[in-house]
Amino acid sequence: MEKQWWKDAVVYQIYPRSFMDSNGDGIGDIPGITAKLDYLTALGVEVVWLSPVYQSPNDDNGYDISDYRAIMDEFGTMEDWERMLDEMHKRGIRLVMDLVVNHSSDEHPWFVEARKSKDNPYRDYYVWRDGKNGREPNNWESFFSGSVWEYNEPTGDYYLHLFSKKQPDLNWENEKVRSEVYELMKFWLDKGVDGFRMDVINMISKVPGLPDGNVEPGSEYASGAQYYMNGPRVHEFLQEMNEQVLSRYDIMTVGETGGVTPEHGVLYTNPERKELNMIFQFEHMDVDSGPLGKWDVAPLDLVRLKKILAKWQTDLHGRGWNSLYWDNHDQPRVVSRFGDDGKYRVESAKMLATCLHFMQGTPYIYQGEEIGMTNVQFPSIEDYRDIETINMYNERIAKGFDQVELMKGIHAKSRDNARTPMQWDERENAGFTDGTPWIGVNPNYHEINAKQAMEDKNSIFYYYKELIAMRKRLPIMVEGSFELIHEDSTSLFAYLRHYENETLLVLNNFTADELTVEWPDSLSGLKGERLIGNYEDVESRSADGETNLRPWESIVYHFRK
Ligand code: NOJ
């Protein structure tokens, strides 16, 4: 099979607003990114996924686009962007842009036109329905609280917005919308971009009739997800996009797809189906949520986490391709979430990296993960900027929820945990800006920053660097099959990878307790060599087919027959 460059590469995600500010306005920008490219080269990443940098009123920090062919003023100019791309390519770094086409901004000229009258030529670019019994057309709930419908005065009906009311859903049933999308994709591809991360791409096809969902007791709205996730025409649309655009370029594509099973995963990513290269699934992001969802914070259920990831590993092996991630701009920081961001911050961050990077798929690193950045606990809702967090808080306060409990949920789960400025050094504002940052800096930047990490050969940064380099060297990391072992352990995440006559044994202690791990019988008689581990002292921890793991310790052994 033809070797695909995105299979042994590691992707680094940049959230531009929070990465590096070059002009003192407190907002990260494109020249700031260009100035930090040598940092990425030092880490060894080969691909950057850049969250949206297009013109946007920033209701949802760029995920609401008002001009798909222009750069956001706050981020710089098209010339700045071209220079950044050039500098990336010179360093052998490829650029994957964010493609947000389930919805546009309500300030996009298409929508500005569409909302004017029922006979406007752009009307059918969006999804419109009449109200029902003096209420919204159906009972679906928006991801950002409240109904998915917004009343539009001039036309006397409602438009659909799965996200904020400033993010109206585009109507993919309309051929013209699809060809507009393909044209704007070609615009960027012809400028030399190396791929797309496709925002909520499995939501572009809605079930005709947009039926009501089931309302859970105590709720006003229903999820409706079954009527817009993995909808009836989504594969047809992606195959059309592939045929008309993707197949004509040497690029990588990753679809953001909530609510998918591995069977969906195969449909989206099996190469013979000609849709996408890989997807982001979200099942493993729910393992610390209680029955009431994301804000109902529960302790990590490790057995469930392992089960989910193992299922994705085995079900996609040879049939599709996984993305591997713990963090992104929508998720809390993993070292705070599944690790220990206190005493064992460094050990647990490295353990989590090991656990993820030895699986099959393309790993993603979210800015700051490589230095072990942690969640933040801002004292007041006034300190938060994220629309999801703020809307949820206001809605629940109005319903009489307890403020202290709400803040606890926000501290654990708010998307702003990932969006505090990148911590570059110990200067004011972590070296991110000379001005006032658009969102507070995590006060721990004196201890946690990139400069310090680069000066310490045992830092989390260099550990990631080694993992990235190892993936290039060892085909087993890329190609090997996956076998979960000790699946019932509530402390240990252990697995094997098998490839030709080699095996990897990957042991990860998810606790601060010491553990003794027995090796599986299949390894008896073989001699393993320690490949990597997160404790500096590498004295042999194993004897007679077992390993003693210290708090949050990770060890990987490589066996050859
Ligand atoms: C997923 C993006 O990752 C998130 O940040 C955004 O709010 C929604 N899609 C809507 O575009």
Side-chain angles (χ1 to χ4, degrees):
M1 223 176 78
E2 183 196 344
K3 186 169 182 273
Q4 282 131 335
W5 56 263
W6 39 266
K7 285 197 166 170
D8 63 5
V10 174
V11 183
Y12 187 90
Q13 185 194 349
I14 293 181
Y15 193 67
R17 210 171 181 76
S18 305
F19 192 62
M20 181 65 200
D21 175 22
S22 72
N23 63 359
D25 66 356
I27 296 171
D29 50 40
I30 290 173
I33 297 172
T34 310
K36 291 294 185 185
L37 291 178
D38 288 340
Y39 173 77
L40 301 185
T41 309
L43 183 59
V45 292
E46 291 177 314
V47 184
V48 163
W49 152 27
L50 183 58
S51 278
V53 292
Y54 317 97
Q55 198 63 259
S56 162
N58 283 307
D59 193 48
D60 186 18
N61 289 354
Y63 282 92
D64 48 321
I65 297 169
S66 53
D67 184 345
Y68 287 97
R69 291 179 173 79
I71 298 295
M72 192 191 299
D73 295 332
E74 291 165 336
F75 289 169
T77 62
M78 189 61 91
E79 289 68 46
D80 292 332
W81 181 89
E82 282 161 359
R83 185 162 162 258
M84 175 192 73
L85 180 65
D86 230 40
E87 292 295 324
M88 285 180 170
H89 284 169
K90 267 190 217 158
R91 290 167 176 77
I93 297 175
R94 290 176 153 106
L95 176 63
V96 167
M97 294 280 275
D98 220 304
L99 182 77
V100 189
V101 289
N102 172 69
H103 44 269
S104 73
S105 163
D106 67 336
E107 297 183 33
H108 193 290
W110 298 334
F111 191 74
V112 172
E113 281 303 310
R115 73 185 317 170
K116 285 183 181 163
S117 68
K118 287 193 171 171
D119 55 10
N120 189 284
Y122 289 94
R123 162 98 176 168
D124 287 340
Y125 274 44
Y126 294 90
V127 183
W128 300 92
R129 291 290 185 278
D130 288 330
K132 235 170 43 193
N133 313 321
R135 282 205 61 151
E136 299 95 1
N138 74 14
N139 64 7
W140 299 355
E141 182 170 29
S142 153
F143 284 97
F144 295 159
S145 305
S147 168
V148 296
W149 296 100
E150 182 71 10
Y151 186 69
N152 184 50
E153 209 52 74
T155 51
D157 56 3
Y158 293 78
Y159 66 85
L160 177 76
H161 61 89
L162 295 181
F163 294 88
S164 97
K165 59 180 185 223
K166 287 184 67 60
Q167 293 167 299
D169 279 53
L170 284 159
N171 176 18
W172 276 71
E173 302 290 323
N174 182 349
E175 228 175 283
K176 280 198 213 136
V177 166
R178 304 204 299 275
S179 76
E180 295 266 17
V181 169
Y182 305 153
E183 287 310 308
L184 76 88
M185 293 173 75
K186 286 188 219 151
F187 171 85
W188 290 102
L189 290 165
D190 292 339
K191 278 180 168 295
V193 313
D194 303 288
F196 290 110
R197 174 267 185 190
M198 302 187 187
D199 193 70
V200 293
I201 199 67
N202 66 328
M203 302 190 195
I204 56 178
S205 163
K206 280 88 180 170
V207 169
L210 314 179
D212 278 332
N214 290 330
V215 182
E216 296 288 327
S219 317
E220 186 179 355
Y221 296 105
S223 132
Q226 58 182 305
Y227 301 119
Y228 58 74
M229 280 179 177
N230 313 304
R233 298 184 69 189
V234 67
H235 297 292
E236 173 197 334
F237 294 157
L238 288 174
Q239 284 169 10
E240 180 184 85
M241 177 196 284
N242 189 297
E243 197 264 313
Q244 295 198 21
V245 187
L246 307 175
S247 59
R248 302 172 190 225
Y249 299 84
D250 174 24
I251 54 171
M252 106 170 210
T253 53
V254 50
E256 187 203 23
T257 56
V260 285
T261 62
E263 284 319 303
H264 292 120
V266 171
L267 295 178
Y268 287 115
T269 69
N270 185 301
E272 282 169 19
R273 292 180 47 84
K274 300 193 176 15
E275 295 187 18
L276 302 173
N277 297 140
M278 63 189 109
I279 55 166
F280 292 123
Q281 60 80 21
F282 285 84
E283 257 191 290
H284 68 304
M285 293 282 104
D286 288 333
V287 292
D288 56 352
S289 297
L292 302 179
K294 163 168 174 168
W295 304 101
D296 178 14
V297 184
L300 163 66
D301 181 343
L302 183 65
V303 172
R304 208 170 127 214
L305 176 73
K306 292 191 290 187
K307 228 190 215 148
I308 291 169
L309 290 176
K311 175 182 72 178
W312 279 91
Q313 286 291 299
T314 46
D315 289 5
L316 258 55
H317 182 69
R319 304 168 70 207
W321 193 251
N322 282 295
S323 310
L324 306 171
Y325 74 96
W326 294 129
D327 274 344
N328 63 41
H329 66 291
D330 294 330
Q331 300 295 334
R333 294 280 179 184
V334 72
V335 69
S336 302
R337 188 179 193 179
F338 299 156
D340 172 355
D341 63 8
K343 181 168 176 203
Y344 292 110
R345 185 182 65 88
V346 172
E347 289 82 358
S348 64
K350 291 178 183 175
M351 182 282 288
L352 288 160
T354 317
C355 183
L356 193 75
H357 282 240
F358 275 93
M359 289 188 216
Q360 186 173 40
T362 300
Y364 288 71
I365 301 172
Y366 177 68
Q367 66 186 40
E369 179 185 334
E370 76 285 6
I371 56 169
M373 278 177 62
T374 67
N375 280 354
V376 74
Q377 270 139 40
F378 291 134
S380 150
I381 190 67
E382 306 295 320
D383 302 314
Y384 286 84
R385 302 286 174 265
D386 167 33
I387 183 170
E388 181 196 36
T389 305
I390 295 169
N391 286 1
M392 179 283 291
Y393 180 90
N394 290 336
E395 186 186 272
R396 294 191 181 182
I397 285 288
K399 285 186 181 155
F401 278 66
D402 180 66
Q403 195 257 353
V404 173
E405 284 304 308
L406 285 179
M407 288 311 290
K408 267 195 213 154
I410 289 173
H411 290 161
K413 292 286 184 72
S414 170
R415 307 196 295 180
D416 280 341
N417 282 306
R419 299 176 182 186
T420 62
M422 175 71 187
Q423 293 165 206
W424 291 107
D425 53 43
E426 64 288 341
R427 287 177 305 156
E428 209 185 340
N429 294 322
F432 162 72
T433 181
D434 295 333
T436 308
W438 69 278
I439 185 172
V441 173
N442 192 319
N444 63 19
Y445 69 86
H446 297 280
E447 300 86 57
I448 305 172
N449 62 63
K451 178 162 170 269
Q452 206 180 70
M454 293 188 78
E455 286 164 3
D456 170 7
K457 69 175 188 0
N458 294 316
S459 67
I460 302 167
F461 179 92
Y462 289 111
Y463 194 82
Y464 268 91
K465 184 181 170 93
E466 199 172 338
L467 289 174
I468 295 166
M470 225 169 232
R471 178 166 290 267
K472 289 260 156 232
R473 263 198 334 263
L474 298 179
I476 186 170
M477 280 179 83
V478 181
E479 303 294 345
S481 64
F482 177 98
E483 183 190 348
L484 186 66
I485 55 173
H486 298 293
E487 55 251 52
D488 297 326
S489 166
T490 53
S491 318
L492 173 76
F493 193 153
Y495 58 86
L496 302 169
R497 298 284 304 278
H498 305 284
Y499 181 64
E500 296 180 344
N501 58 358
E502 297 171 47
T503 300
L504 292 173
L505 169 65
V506 185
L507 305 176
N508 303 292
N509 182 355
F510 267 69
T511 72
D513 301 324
E514 305 229 345
L515 291 179
T516 300
V517 185
E518 275 183 41
W519 292 7
D521 291 344
S522 59
L523 296 175
S524 66
L526 302 179
K527 186 137 175 55
E529 163 205 354
R530 180 187 176 283
L531 191 61
I532 189 170
N534 63 347
Y535 271 67
E536 283 158 48
D537 127 40
V538 297
E539 119 217 28
S540 170
R541 307 289 301 170
S542 59
D544 300 330
E546 60 178 38
T547 297
N548 296 312
L549 292 176
R550 289 164 284 189
W552 301 99
E553 185 164 12
S554 248
I555 306 187
V556 182
Y557 298 96
H558 193 183
F559 298 85
R560 285 172 218 269
K561 280 193 189 120

